[in-house]
Amino acid sequence: MNFKAIKGFKCAKVALLPASIPALLVVTGPAKADSVADRVIQNVIQNVLQNVRDQIQSRRLSISTPGRLQFNGEDEPAYQGNDPFAALGYAKAPIYTKAPPPAPALPTWLYGVNLTGSADWSRSAGITTSTYGVTGAIDITKIGISSQYDALTVIFTGGGVWSNAPGTSSDTGVGAGTIAYTNGGFSIDFTVDGTWTTSRLAAAGIVTNTDSTGVSYAPNVQYKFDLADGWFIEPTVGAAYTQTFTASFGSQTGDSTEVHGGARFGTETTWNGTRVQPSLKLEAFSIVAQSGISTVLVGGVAQPVATGSGIATGQVGGRASGKLNVLWTPTFSSFIEAHGSGISGLTAYGTTAGLRWTF
């Protein structure tokens, strides 16, 4: 029989042979149609970039103005008297007053610490997989690269993802690095993430541990347009190229390429004296290329089995997410997000929440 497993939304066909013939999965196939780990990382990154953009856009140049000239109030009685020359009182030497000190400028360096938790559920071929993750990130931003209004941000992300389905479970460690450039409403970011997964498969009363690794490269481009009454729209396009390997990034077992595009809509308002930023993101995605081979042991002999993601190349799916970001203080914020996705053969939904502190 055929069993389609989804580990962290990394879809791979697993062939289970009759109990009389021991068949143990050694390597899973490619294709992340909707990776929880990648989504958590991207949520953290986009939340960081949104905060950075807001701080840069609110930045004001501190222009030191010279002292100003003003008339002395003692001249007023001269205008009101009978002196025919009183009108010439304005010819007195004006008094020079010192200008007030300029407002302090925003720092040219910003630092942030982020903590995010997530819970997701996916369903494919009648099987539900539950996935939970915890992710931390540290970001460093330098404001003022080519002007006083642009910035370069570096983000380091790490965490863990745990998935469970009938007969199988997996633990995944995730590490990622991101570099992003922001200039006004424009931003571009590039993320490289690595995953280390240990899967446990129960077959014919035998539990087998299998290690696999993966690398993903994900560029994104956004532009935020400000609209009336505090609203905005932010179109985005991007791609993700993923490679899967045996343990310790050994032999490559597959790869996949995803393209996606959509837009984020949102606004900012004040509720009980606290700034809140609700937003909605809609996105379409498609796996435009994929390949891979899994290996099973049959009677102690390794046998290659052609696999894919379980999703046909070129199919188009959709993702949607709604997020509420709350700025409790100028340096502390939190967000909660609900999201879902669907493509032929796979549906998923979940929630993500996070905290951010800047200094």
Side-chain angles (χ1 to χ4, degrees):
M1 63 178 177
N2 288 328
F3 175 88
K4 188 178 293 181
I6 302 175
K7 299 185 178 72
F9 296 149
K10 297 180 183 179
C11 309
K13 290 183 180 178
V14 180
L16 295 185
L17 300 182
S20 59
I21 304 178
L24 304 179
L25 178 69
V26 176
V27 180
T28 58
K32 296 193 286 188
D34 200 6
S35 168
V36 172
D38 287 341
R39 187 193 303 117
V40 169
I41 290 173
Q42 286 300 321
N43 282 348
V44 172
I45 292 168
Q46 295 307 320
N47 190 60
V48 169
L49 294 179
Q50 179 182 347
N51 280 273
V52 170
R53 285 196 297 269
D54 288 344
Q55 288 177 288
I56 294 173
Q57 289 173 355
S58 64
R59 181 180 175 90
R60 294 291 182 267
L61 289 174
S62 298
I63 302 176
S64 177
T65 57
R68 61 187 179 90
L69 298 177
Q70 68 178 24
F71 293 112
N72 190 350
E74 68 181 12
D75 292 335
E76 295 177 1
Y79 289 99
Q80 301 172 359
N82 296 323
D83 186 354
F85 298 100
L88 299 178
Y90 69 89
K92 293 183 179 181
I95 298 175
Y96 186 87
T97 61
K98 185 178 180 180
L106 287 177
T108 56
W109 289 91
L110 296 175
Y111 305 90
V113 179
N114 310 267
L115 180 64
T116 302
S118 63
D120 290 84
W121 298 266
S122 65
R123 187 169 181 81
S124 180
I127 297 172
T128 299
T129 301
S130 58
T131 305
Y132 304 93
V134 176
T135 304
I138 297 174
D139 59 273
I140 304 171
T141 299
K142 173 64 171 70
I143 300 178
I145 305 302
S146 60
S147 72
Q148 296 193 28
Y149 296 97
D150 65 351
L152 189 68
T153 301
V154 178
I155 307 172
F156 302 97
T157 310
V161 176
W162 301 270
S163 297
N164 291 278
T168 182
S169 63
S170 64
D171 302 331
T172 301
V174 182
T178 300
I179 185 169
Y181 174 74
T182 303
N183 192 343
F186 172 81
S187 65
I188 182 170
D189 57 83
F190 179 73
T191 298
V192 178
D193 73 70
T195 57
W196 296 260
T197 301
T198 297
S199 301
R200 289 170 294 278
L201 176 68
I206 301 175
V207 177
T208 303
N209 292 336
T210 302
D211 294 332
S212 59
T213 50
V215 179
S216 188
Y217 310 88
N220 293 282
V221 179
Q222 299 85 204
Y223 197 98
K224 182 180 178 182
F225 295 93
D226 291 323
L227 306 176
D229 300 323
W231 287 86
F232 70 86
I233 180 173
E234 187 178 54
T236 178
V237 294
Y241 174 67
T242 300
Q243 296 173 292
T244 54
F245 302 87
T246 56
S248 302
F249 302 97
S251 302
Q252 181 171 325
T253 59
D255 65 355
S256 67
T257 302
E258 178 199 284
V259 295
H260 51 260
R264 186 170 66 99
F265 311 85
T267 186
E268 179 177 310
T269 186
T270 301
W271 182 65
N272 288 340
T274 302
R275 293 169 59 193
V276 295
Q277 298 171 328
S279 62
L280 173 67
K281 185 174 183 179
L282 302 175
E283 188 175 71
F285 69 98
S286 178
I287 297 178
V288 296
Q290 60 180 324
S291 65
I293 295 179
S294 288
T295 303
V296 298
L297 293 178
V298 180
V301 180
Q303 299 290 340
V305 178
T307 67
S309 67
I311 298 173
T313 301
Q315 287 186 350
V316 178
R319 299 188 183 111
S321 63
K323 184 172 73 171
L324 181 65
N325 193 51
V326 181
L327 288 78
W328 301 100
T329 72
T331 60
F332 179 73
S333 64
S334 64
F335 77 91
I336 184 169
E337 179 198 63
H339 50 256
S341 64
I343 194 170
S344 180
L346 172 65
T347 58
Y349 61 93
T351 183
T352 303
L355 305 173
R356 172 172 169 78
W357 179 53
T358 60
F359 55 97

